């Protein structure tokens, strides 16, 4: 219920919680000093939303740990380790179908929202509206997926502000504005850039589903929550890295099962 100014992500998250705790019995873990920056200012809102924003900006994660012996819950900010680079000090192995710790891999390619041509409409009205068409290669017929982009905010003229070095009677600086005009090439480049930026938002997406088994390398022993791990799917000829975003422990009479969820996949060069 005030303003939180954050520069250090980990410390700022803990401070925001402590300042707005209001008797909540969840404790705060000691500061580890990850040194991740996240410069921002937030007023009002909720602490969870602030933590999510700061964590997303800094690459940190957070969780609440429960100690069954004491019944104490502790809020903990953590930082995963990149274990995906072969030969690095943090590399401990990989998930792979060739070594038996990955089962039932499935690659799903989505294209329902895929577009490869952008029709960008700039300044002007009606038949006089200036239009540029950009595409991801020579696509025609049924392979052509068009996207209309309204770029009316991009006009041929624009204003440049210049500080005159003088102030008005209230002490405010007096600013002069000069109207300039883009050249034809500059305006074309401006509209083309908007078109390609919009196409980037409508690319084909790729998701990977697989079962991670606890052999060769084990969760909680060799790798932990937030770590980035390599995944090798030999039958698809693909190697990616992915973040261990959650780990679900299932305790049954037959024993314990750990289900690992991976996210933020990135193609790796082999």
């Amino acid at each position: 219920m005030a303003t939180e100014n954050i520069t250090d992500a980990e410390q700022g998250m803990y401070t925001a919680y402590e300042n707005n705790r209001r008797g909540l019995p969840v404790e705060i873990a000691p500061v580890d000093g990850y040194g991740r920056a996240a410069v921002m200012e937030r007023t009002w809102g909720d602490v969870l939303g602030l933590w999510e924003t700061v964590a997303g900006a800094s690459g940190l994660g957070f969780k609440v740990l429960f100690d069954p012996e004491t019944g104490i819950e502790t809020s903990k900010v953590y930082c995963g380790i990149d274990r995906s680079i072969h030969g690095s000090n943090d590399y401990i192995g990989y998930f792979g179908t060739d070594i038996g710790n990955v089962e039932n891999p499935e690659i799903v390619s989505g294209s329902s929202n895929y577009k490869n041509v952008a029709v960008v409409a700039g300044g002007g009205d009606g038949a006089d509206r200036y239009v540029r068409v950009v595409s991801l290669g020579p696509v025609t017929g049924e392979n052509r997926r068009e996207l209309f982009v309204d770029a009316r905010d991009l006009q041929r003229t624009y204003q440049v502000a210049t500080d005159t070095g003088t102030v008005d009677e209230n002490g405010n600086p007096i600013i002069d504005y000069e109207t300039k005009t883009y050249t034809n090439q500059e305006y074309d480049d401006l509209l083309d850039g908007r078109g390609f930026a919009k196409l980037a938002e409508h690319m084909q997406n790729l998701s990977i589903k697989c079962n991670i088994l606890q052999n060769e390398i084990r969760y909680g022993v060799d790798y932990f929550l937030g770590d980035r791990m390599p995944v090798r799917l030999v039958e698809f000829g693909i190697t990616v890295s992915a973040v261990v975003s959650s780990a679900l422990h299932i305790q049954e009479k037959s024993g314990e099962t750990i289900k690992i969820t991976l996210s933020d996949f990135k193609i790796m060069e082999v």
Side-chain angles (χ1 to χ4, degrees):
M1 291 191 290
T3 298
E4 297 291 340
N5 292 288
I6 296 174
T7 53
D8 181 275
E10 180 191 14
Q11 183 62 67
M13 292 166 73
Y14 285 145
T15 300
Y17 171 61
E18 185 63 46
N19 290 344
N20 298 276
R21 189 170 176 176
R22 296 195 288 280
L24 192 67
V26 179
E27 300 296 330
I28 296 177
V31 175
D32 286 314
Y34 297 125
R36 296 292 184 90
V39 180
M40 62 183 67
E41 179 182 288
R42 288 293 185 274
T43 301
W44 298 99
D46 60 274
V47 174
L48 176 59
L50 174 63
W51 274 43
E52 290 173 340
T53 300
V54 175
S58 62
L60 296 176
F62 59 89
K63 54 191 173 183
V64 176
L65 304 174
F66 174 70
D67 187 337
E69 295 185 0
T70 63
I72 295 176
E73 292 179 303
T74 303
S75 186
K76 166 67 177 169
V77 175
Y78 67 92
C79 181
I81 297 173
D82 187 351
R83 303 185 185 276
S84 66
I85 308 301
H86 187 273
S88 70
N89 292 333
D90 295 315
Y91 181 84
I92 46 86
Y94 64 95
F95 304 131
T97 53
D98 57 332
I99 59 174
N101 58 7
V102 171
E103 286 185 342
N104 305 321
E106 178 183 357
I107 295 181
V108 180
S109 178
S111 59
S112 60
N113 199 32
Y114 174 61
K115 306 294 182 184
N116 52 26
V117 175
V119 180
V120 187
D125 295 298
D128 294 328
R129 193 156 188 195
Y130 191 74
V131 174
R132 293 281 296 175
V133 178
V134 296
S135 65
L136 302 177
V139 289
T140 59
E142 293 182 352
N143 293 325
R144 186 181 176 93
R145 302 284 190 91
E146 291 189 357
L147 171 70
F148 174 73
V149 179
D150 186 351
R152 192 182 295 275
D153 59 306
L154 301 179
Q155 297 293 317
R156 285 190 175 274
T157 59
Y158 61 100
Q159 289 188 324
V160 176
T162 303
D163 190 343
T164 63
T166 59
V167 297
D168 60 18
E169 62 274 11
N170 296 318
N172 300 314
I174 297 176
I175 306 297
D176 278 346
Y177 293 92
E178 180 184 359
T179 299
K180 293 189 175 183
T181 302
Y182 289 113
T183 65
N184 290 339
Q185 186 61 57
E186 288 173 339
Y187 192 54
D188 287 350
D189 291 344
L190 191 65
L191 294 178
D192 291 355
R194 174 67 62 84
F196 284 120
K198 289 299 181 182
L199 287 178
E201 299 173 3
H202 294 79
M203 299 295 289
Q204 290 177 310
N205 53 64
L206 182 72
S207 63
I208 299 174
K209 297 180 181 179
C210 59
N211 297 330
I212 303 297
L213 306 181
Q214 296 302 304
N215 55 40
E216 300 295 333
I217 51 177
R218 298 180 57 196
Y219 175 77
V221 178
D222 303 301
Y223 65 94
F224 303 88
L225 199 64
D227 288 356
R228 177 170 288 278
M229 299 291 296
V231 183
R232 184 179 300 172
L233 306 178
V234 177
E235 54 269 64
F236 295 104
I238 186 174
T239 299
V240 300
S241 69
V243 172
V244 179
S245 55
S246 72
L248 177 62
H249 295 254
I250 303 174
Q251 190 70 45
E252 299 175 314
K253 290 183 179 180
S254 58
E256 183 185 50
T257 301
I258 301 177
K259 290 188 175 181
I260 302 297
T261 300
L262 302 177
S263 62
D264 192 20
F265 289 89
K266 295 181 179 180
I267 300 293
M268 296 181 64
E269 294 184 3
V270 180

